[in-house]
Amino acid sequence: MTQHRTRTGLAVPELGFGTAQFGNLFRETSDEDSAAAVESAWESGIRYFDTAPHYGLGLSERRLGAALAGLPRDEYVLSTKVGKLLVEDANGVSRMDDEGFVVETTLRRRWDYSRDGVLRSLEGSLERLGVDRVDIVYLHDPDDHWAEASTTGFAALAELRDQGVVGAIGAGMNQSAMLARFVRETDVDLVMCAGRYTLLEQGAEDDLLPAALERGVGVVAAGVYNSGLLSRPRPPADAQYDYADAPAEMLDRANRIADVCEAHGLTLPEVATVFARRHPAVVSTVLGLRTPEQVAGAIDRFAVEVPDALWRDLESAGLLRRTAAAES
């Protein structure tokens, strides 16, 4: 697969495997399915894997680490996140997580972007993953914590990067405005933008993407199906958008986009998978996967050739922004 180098020289593959589902996102996943999905991804050439302590209170990291064990460490890129520090919660036994993951809350998340919190979080991740290093570390969802995340949190990551402990640092969020601030006001190498640069919506073009191009910062596109709304050829009436029921106007927009895709012999998820990498600031697309079947489908969709006429038809219908940067 094509790789794009960060400013620090780290080569990031253009397709990545997101493992929130390994943490039992919305429903349970088995250890066997997780291991088989990674095996299938490896055989298909995927060499970038992303996780976080937040995903299933560490379950995603443990499952991913077990699945990667025995594979040559120098041949894949591994990223995790800091800021949601996992701490013991003796009162959580028999109580289920209330943040979307089907797990008992024997641990709880504590917001912590202090230097000590960042180092403790990364140490815990390394232990759960069973590795001695990760390649990329993102500050995770610092929406309400700009002051701490952009100072002590970023400084701790910069220290690790300067020491050669990690290859690249950045932030990962479900919004683009604050990511643009990180790009402009700190020395990040990468940012992960979930859901704000997709076939359905392109708000990141207003702030993040121009800043990233100007500063030479790579953008990793995640959430390209907008929480499921674009994941099927036709979105069902109960489709999710931003982890909630999709508003009627979003359902209508997705169906209108699907009309155009079908007129060109393609499906909504195929075009949604290809879309983000059109922009020169986007260095990788990370897809959340759960099973070998989903891996195979992702590989097929990522390889689809989308004709320029389809993009033009979407633009003419007012369903897609006309972006000069994406056409260059």
Side-chain angles (χ1 to χ4, degrees), residues 65-218:
L68 291 172
L71 296 175
R73 180 63 189 88
D74 291 339
E75 293 186 16
Y76 64 86
V77 172
L78 179 60
S79 62
T80 192
K81 305 175 184 74
V82 296
K84 299 182 182 184
L85 181 64
L86 300 184
V87 297
E88 297 289 337
D89 185 1
N91 297 321
V93 177
S94 299
R95 188 175 69 229
M96 301 304 291
D97 184 47
D98 60 359
E99 295 200 29
F101 298 92
V102 186
V103 292
E104 288 189 350
T105 55
T106 54
L107 297 169
R108 60 182 174 85
R109 305 165 183 87
R110 186 177 74 200
W111 295 104
D112 194 337
Y113 296 98
S114 68
R115 181 179 185 277
D116 180 65
V118 166
L119 297 180
R120 286 178 59 195
S121 182
L122 183 56
E123 181 181 11
S125 291
L126 293 175
E127 182 177 347
R128 287 185 292 272
L129 286 162
V131 297
D132 60 2
R133 62 182 172 86
V134 295
D135 302 287
I136 304 167
V137 183
Y138 300 105
L139 297 163
H140 201 182
D141 291 342
D143 302 70
D144 300 320
H145 305 273
W146 165 259
E148 188 177 26
S150 63
T151 54
T152 56
F154 173 77
L157 292 187
E159 180 182 337
L160 293 173
R161 180 186 58 188
D162 294 344
Q163 294 171 350
V165 176
V166 299
I169 61 174
M173 305 180 70
N174 292 289
Q175 60 153 295
S176 62
M178 189 177 287
L179 288 179
R181 286 194 68 184
F182 274 106
V183 169
R184 295 191 187 100
E185 301 178 34
T186 72
D187 188 28
V188 292
D189 307 301
L190 290 168
V191 292
M192 179 176 283
C193 181
R196 304 287 78 85
Y197 188 63
T198 73
L199 186 62
L200 186 71
E201 56 180 287
Q202 298 91 50
E205 290 186 5
D206 293 331
D207 39 41
L208 173 60
L209 296 177
L213 278 179
E214 180 182 347
R215 301 269 295 179
V217 172

